[in-house]
């Protein structure tokens, strides 16, 4: 039996761990022009700095979720925090853009270990009546990390150096490890005794790598070839998982559990629609509107605080019933914001895109806790690690796809040129195209979210 004190400390440790990666991601989003200036990098290279983090996290989430089920969520969570620590040091000392990109990939591996276990740990130690609220608190911590990252990134880029950004999380990572090792007794390994599906892990990571890299290389022949190879690897993965005794992902579970499958599809489409907007707004504020890093970071700070303040309320609403309705309302608000931004141009008053930004962040707050509550609630307790890893994989796959599409758009519009005063029209043209693509994806997510509720009502 887990005591109330142990539950509180575990929630604190998980929240601290969940805030670290968003802190670094957000800080880099704001500081990206300063990074580009120091390394003399074009928009495509700069786009890979956040993209490679999402790619690594998406590649390893499901494998680490299953490994956590077998060997223990607390152990995997703690190792992930240690990897955070090491990769942050490498990022702070990176001499070139490729080294920074490699360090961000390593951070993504650590993030996969954290994301794959955080919701599972909360699901295992909390009663069902408190699960939605706790998920809301954890997501609020994530957005709190975003908020502080935006603030720190703006201030450090303006007054000092973006490199200090990676030194800030180091003591937080140590504190989170200490709490989880001290106050969470025993180990959470509900599938202990089974073997990790190594061929399935290899096929799943290869599939994601080929599909996401291939998407980012379109319309080049290499991109199409990588996509074809990725689809072949996906087919092999599905066949293997359907036949193996201890799969890394139970394909049959998704086939017979429609709420779980539809909720994950909704998360994938929504994340693809509502992720790269932060990166695009950072460029828009600093290159089009002429804001300095401090002001851009402050605007993102306010947006993140708004989201963090609302996710707890959205989590409580999802505990009271009909979480799919709360999530659907969130998607609808995001659609309204993206529809406005699809017409962005130099003549548009800055208040209009700021209002659209507000709609998007409020939509995110009302979408995430309810849909995660649906996913965890639809899974068996012994598969919490896999369910947690699966939904986070869908989120990060969507984020990677969102950035990959951004890379393609920038490559087509800029053709190797840097963002300057002369190329600002190219930036705005690419943003219009991208926001229209995101709008279509958000509509798909709306349909999937609504169908999730209907599937839940019809489930036996």
């Amino acid at each position: 039996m887990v005591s109330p004190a142990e539950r509180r400390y575990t929630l604190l440790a998980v929240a601290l761990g969940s805030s670290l990666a968003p802190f670094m991601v957000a800080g880099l989003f704001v500081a990206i022009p300063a990074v580009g200036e120091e390394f003399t990098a074009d928009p495509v290279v700069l786009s890979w700095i956040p993209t490679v983090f999402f790619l690594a996290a998406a590649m390893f989430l499901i494998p680490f979720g299953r490994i956590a089920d077998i060997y223990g969520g607390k152990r995997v969570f703690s190792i992930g925090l240690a990897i955070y620590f090491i990769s942050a040091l490498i990022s702070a000392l990176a001499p070139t853009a490729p080294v920074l990109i490699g360090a961000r990939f390593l951070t993504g591996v650590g993030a996969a270990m954290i994301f794959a276990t955080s919701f599972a740990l909360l699901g295992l130690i909390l009663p069902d009546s408190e699960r939605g609220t706790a998920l809301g608190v954890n997501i609020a911590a994530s957005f709190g990390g975003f908020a502080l990252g935006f603030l720190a990134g703006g201030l450090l880029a303006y007054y000092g150096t973006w490199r200090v950004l990676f030194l800030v999380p180091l003591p937080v990572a140590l504190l989170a490890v200490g709490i989880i090792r001290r106050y969470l007794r025993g180990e959470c390994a509900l599938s202990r005794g089974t073997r990790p599906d190594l061929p399935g892990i290899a096929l799943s990571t290869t599939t994601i790598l080929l599909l996401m890299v291939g998407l980012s290389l379109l319309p080049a022949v290499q991109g199409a070839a990588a996509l074809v190879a990725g689809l072949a690897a996906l087919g092999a993965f599905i066949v293997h998982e359907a036949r193996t005794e201890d799969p890394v992902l139970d394909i049959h579970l998704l086939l017979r559990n429609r709420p779980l499958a539809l909720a994950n599809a909704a998360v994938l489409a929504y994340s693809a629609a509502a992720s790269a907007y932060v990166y695009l707004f950072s460029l828009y504020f600093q290159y089009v509107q002429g804001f300095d890093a401090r002001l851009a970071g402050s605007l993102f700070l306010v947006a993140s605080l708004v989201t963090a303040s609302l996710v707890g309320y959205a989590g409580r609403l999802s505990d009271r019933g009909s979480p799919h309705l709360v999530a659907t309302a969130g998607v609808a608000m995001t659609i309204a914001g993206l529809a406005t931004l699809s017409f962005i141009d130099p003549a548009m008053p800055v208040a209009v895109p700021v209002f659209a930004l507000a709609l998007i962040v409020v939509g995110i707050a009302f979408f995430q806790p309810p849909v995660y509550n649906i996913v965890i609630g639809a899974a068996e307790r012994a598969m919490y690690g896999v369910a947690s890893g699966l939904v986070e994989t869908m989120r990060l796959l969507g984020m990677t796809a969102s950035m990959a599409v951004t890379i393609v758009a920038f490559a087509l519009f800029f053709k190797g040129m840097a963002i300057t005063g002369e190329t600002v029209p190219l930036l705005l043209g690419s943003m219009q195209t991208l926001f229209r693509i995101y709008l279509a994806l958000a509509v798909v997510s709306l349909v999937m979210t609504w169908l999730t509720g209907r599937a839940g009502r019809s489930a036996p």
Side-chain angles (χ1 to χ4, degrees):
M1 184 68 178
V2 180
S3 69
E6 288 172 324
R7 291 201 296 266
R8 288 194 298 271
Y9 278 117
T10 301
L11 178 57
L12 174 61
V14 170
L16 288 174
S18 299
S19 69
L20 293 177
F23 176 87
M24 290 184 276
V25 169
L28 269 180
F29 272 143
V30 178
I32 205 72
V35 176
E37 182 179 349
E38 179 171 338
F39 291 142
T40 318
D42 63 46
V44 173
V45 173
L46 291 178
S47 298
W48 271 110
I49 295 174
T51 302
V52 75
F53 166 83
F54 299 135
L55 175 61
M59 286 173 60
F60 293 103
L61 257 173
I62 291 179
F64 281 132
R66 187 56 180 157
I67 288 171
D69 284 335
I70 297 172
Y71 297 108
K74 185 174 75 171
R75 181 179 292 113
V76 172
F77 185 87
S78 300
I79 294 173
L81 288 170
I83 293 176
Y84 270 0
F85 191 96
I86 295 170
S87 63
L89 280 177
I90 298 174
S91 298
L93 301 173
T96 63
V99 173
L100 178 59
I101 290 172
R104 296 302 295 153
F105 185 90
L106 185 60
T107 305
V109 174
M113 304 179 85
I114 300 298
F115 295 154
T117 54
S118 58
F119 292 130
L121 287 175
L122 295 178
L124 288 167
I125 66 170
L126 294 171
D128 292 347
S129 60
E130 298 178 15
R131 188 174 57 218
T133 300
L135 293 177
V137 170
N138 194 53
I139 295 172
S142 177
F143 281 106
F146 270 116
L148 293 175
F150 288 134
L151 178 62
L155 293 177
L156 290 172
Y158 187 84
Y159 290 110
T161 172
W162 54 269
R163 296 177 181 276
V164 179
L165 179 73
F166 296 102
L167 302 178
V168 176
L170 300 186
V172 179
L174 292 176
L175 175 61
V177 170
I179 293 174
I180 203 75
R181 304 298 295 184
R182 169 68 176 83
Y183 291 101
L184 183 58
R185 295 175 297 175
E187 186 55 274
C188 304
L190 297 182
S191 296
R192 181 178 286 127
T194 59
R195 295 181 178 180
D197 176 20
L198 296 182
I201 289 174
L203 284 171
S204 69
T205 54
T206 300
T207 296
I208 293 173
L209 178 64
L210 289 172
L211 290 177
M212 293 299 106
V213 172
L215 179 61
S216 69
L217 293 177
L218 290 177
V221 175
Q222 299 95 318
L227 283 176
V228 171
L231 291 173
L234 176 61
F237 173 74
I238 293 173
V239 171
H240 171 79
E241 294 299 283
R243 295 177 176 177
T244 191
E245 184 177 350
D246 294 313
V248 66
L249 176 62
D250 188 350
I251 299 297
H252 299 293
L253 172 65
L254 291 177
L255 293 177
R256 66 175 179 263
N257 193 327
R258 289 190 63 208
L260 183 65
L262 286 170
N264 276 282
V267 170
L268 175 63
Y270 186 82
S271 298
S275 297
Y277 77 92
V278 178
Y279 180 63
L280 295 178
F281 262 101
S282 179
L283 299 177
Y284 171 78
F285 284 144
Q286 296 184 65
Y287 285 111
V288 179
Q289 295 297 334
F291 295 171
D292 59 41
R294 292 175 306 172
L295 182 54
S298 297
L299 288 172
F300 288 128
L301 168 64
V302 173
S304 295
L305 291 176
V306 169
T307 307
S309 67
L310 291 174
V311 289
Y313 176 67
R316 290 192 296 273
L317 281 179
S318 73
D319 282 336
R320 298 172 186 171
S322 300
H324 78 286
L325 294 179
V326 183
T328 300
V331 182
M333 284 184 277
T334 300
I335 287 175
L338 292 172
T340 302
L341 292 171
S342 65
F343 298 99
I344 194 168
D345 61 43
M348 180 178 286
V350 69
V352 176
V354 168
F355 177 71
L357 173 63
L359 286 174
I360 293 173
V361 299
V362 172
I364 291 172
F366 278 87
F367 175 79
Q368 285 197 357
V371 81
Y372 286 11
N373 202 3
I374 293 171
V375 169
I376 298 299
E380 300 174 0
R381 290 181 65 85
M383 297 298 290
Y384 272 2
V386 171
S388 176
L390 179 60
V391 69
E392 283 295 287
T393 297
M394 294 301 104
R395 183 176 71 91
L396 286 159
L397 274 178
M399 297 173 81
T400 307
S402 190
M403 289 301 303
V405 171
T406 301
I407 290 173
V408 172
F410 282 169
L412 292 175
F413 276 83
F414 283 91
K415 302 184 185 303
M417 294 183 290
I419 303 176
T420 64
E422 290 74 21
T423 59
V424 162
L426 299 178
L427 175 61
L428 289 170
S430 61
M431 289 178 66
Q432 287 181 355
T433 300
L434 287 166
F435 280 126
R436 288 166 187 172
I437 294 173
Y438 302 151
L439 175 62
L441 290 167
V443 172
V444 172
S445 178
L446 182 72
V447 174
M448 292 294 122
T449 305
W450 179 257
L451 290 176
T452 298
R454 297 192 62 180
R457 288 195 298 271
S458 61

